[in-house]
């Protein structure tokens, strides 16, 4: 029988993600619906600007999907969690939370495609929500679990917005 004291603890497989992701998707959908019904003004009528927003919106959605699928390639995410190994390859080289980032970028993409100036405040609110919630939950857990290795990783890789950073490891 396995001694519970000798068994290493690991992060939950899904963490706070479902709450963050569902709230972003729900708020995005409701706000687009309200704007479509005329309750939120700010619809952009300029065809050129709408086309630019459409192209950027589609690109962000595609980037989010690529990051999501890249999160579990080159090293099986759930196995890393179960084995208490910090994942820094695949999409984790570009963003610390690629799965949450997919929803973030997808919601921004949908808002850009809808093309309403008033709704463009939402990405900033989503970023603030992700920053606050992740700092108070997963980042504390990861710091406790991995210590200096995670702190060094955080210095090189953004939390929510993918970016090419200094190589990790």
């Amino acid at each position: 029988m396995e001694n519970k004291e000798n068994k290493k603890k690991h992060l939950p497989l899904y963490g706070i993600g479902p709450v963050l992701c569902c709230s972003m998707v729900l708020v995005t959908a409701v706000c687009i619906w309200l704007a479509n019904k005329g309750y939120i003004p700010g619809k952009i009528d300029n065809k050129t600007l709408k086309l630019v927003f459409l192209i950027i919106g589609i690109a962000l959605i595609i980037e989010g999907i690529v990051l999501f699928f890249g999160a579990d390639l080159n090293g099986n995410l759930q196995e890393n969690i179960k084995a208490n190994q910090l994942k820094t390859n695949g999409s984790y080289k570009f963003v610390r939370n690629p799965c949450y980032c997919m929803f973030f970028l997808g919601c921004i993409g949908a808002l850009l495609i809808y093309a309403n100036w008033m709704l463009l405040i939402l990405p900033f609110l989503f970023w603030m929500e992700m920053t606050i919630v992740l700092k108070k939950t997963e980042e504390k857990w990861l710091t406790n679990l991995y210590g200096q290795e995670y702190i060094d990783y955080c210095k090189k890789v953004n939390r929510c917005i993918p970016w090419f950073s200094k190589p990790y490891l």
Side-chain angles (χ1 to χ4, degrees):
M1 187 171 212
E2 188 176 336
N3 184 346
K4 289 184 182 180
E5 291 176 16
N6 291 336
K7 185 178 177 182
K8 280 188 168 182
K9 292 182 180 181
H10 62 77
L11 295 176
L13 292 178
Y14 300 104
I16 194 73
V19 174
L20 279 175
C21 298
C22 289
S23 67
M24 282 190 284
V25 170
L26 183 64
V27 168
T28 299
V30 168
C31 287
I32 288 174
W33 181 80
L34 289 171
N36 194 42
K37 293 289 184 184
Y39 295 114
I40 300 175
K43 186 78 173 158
I44 297 169
D45 294 324
N46 181 300
K47 289 183 181 188
T48 304
L49 192 54
K50 283 175 78 169
L51 179 61
V52 169
F53 276 23
L54 175 68
I55 292 168
I56 294 170
I58 290 170
L60 288 175
I61 291 170
I62 291 169
E63 180 184 7
I65 292 168
V66 168
L67 282 170
F68 179 79
F69 285 110
D72 205 17
L73 298 176
N74 300 326
N76 299 326
L77 176 59
Q78 292 189 4
E79 282 73 21
N80 279 75
I81 293 172
K82 290 176 185 175
N84 287 324
Q85 296 173 336
L86 181 61
K87 183 150 175 72
T88 60
N89 60 348
S91 295
Y92 288 87
K93 290 187 283 190
F94 308 109
V95 65
R96 293 195 311 255
N97 300 287
C99 297
Y100 306 156
C101 184
M102 179 193 79
F103 287 91
F104 179 59
L105 293 176
C107 289
I108 294 170
L111 293 167
L112 287 173
I113 290 168
Y114 189 72
N116 181 309
W117 289 111
M118 296 294 285
L119 299 183
L120 295 181
I121 187 71
L122 292 176
F124 299 102
L125 298 176
F126 295 156
W127 175 82
M128 285 182 4
E129 174 194 30
M130 284 181 32
T131 297
I132 292 167
V133 170
L134 290 173
K135 274 183 158 184
K136 294 191 177 287
T137 58
E138 288 190 6
E139 290 185 8
K140 280 187 178 181
W141 302 336
L142 290 163
T143 301
N144 288 335
L145 189 59
Y146 300 115
Q148 192 62 44
E149 181 184 11
Y150 182 70
I151 292 167
D152 292 342
Y153 172 66
C154 290
K155 290 176 184 176
K156 296 181 172 127
V157 180
N158 288 335
R159 176 183 299 112
C160 307
I161 300 170
W163 194 255
F164 296 99
S165 58
K166 298 176 187 173
Y168 178 73
L169 297 178

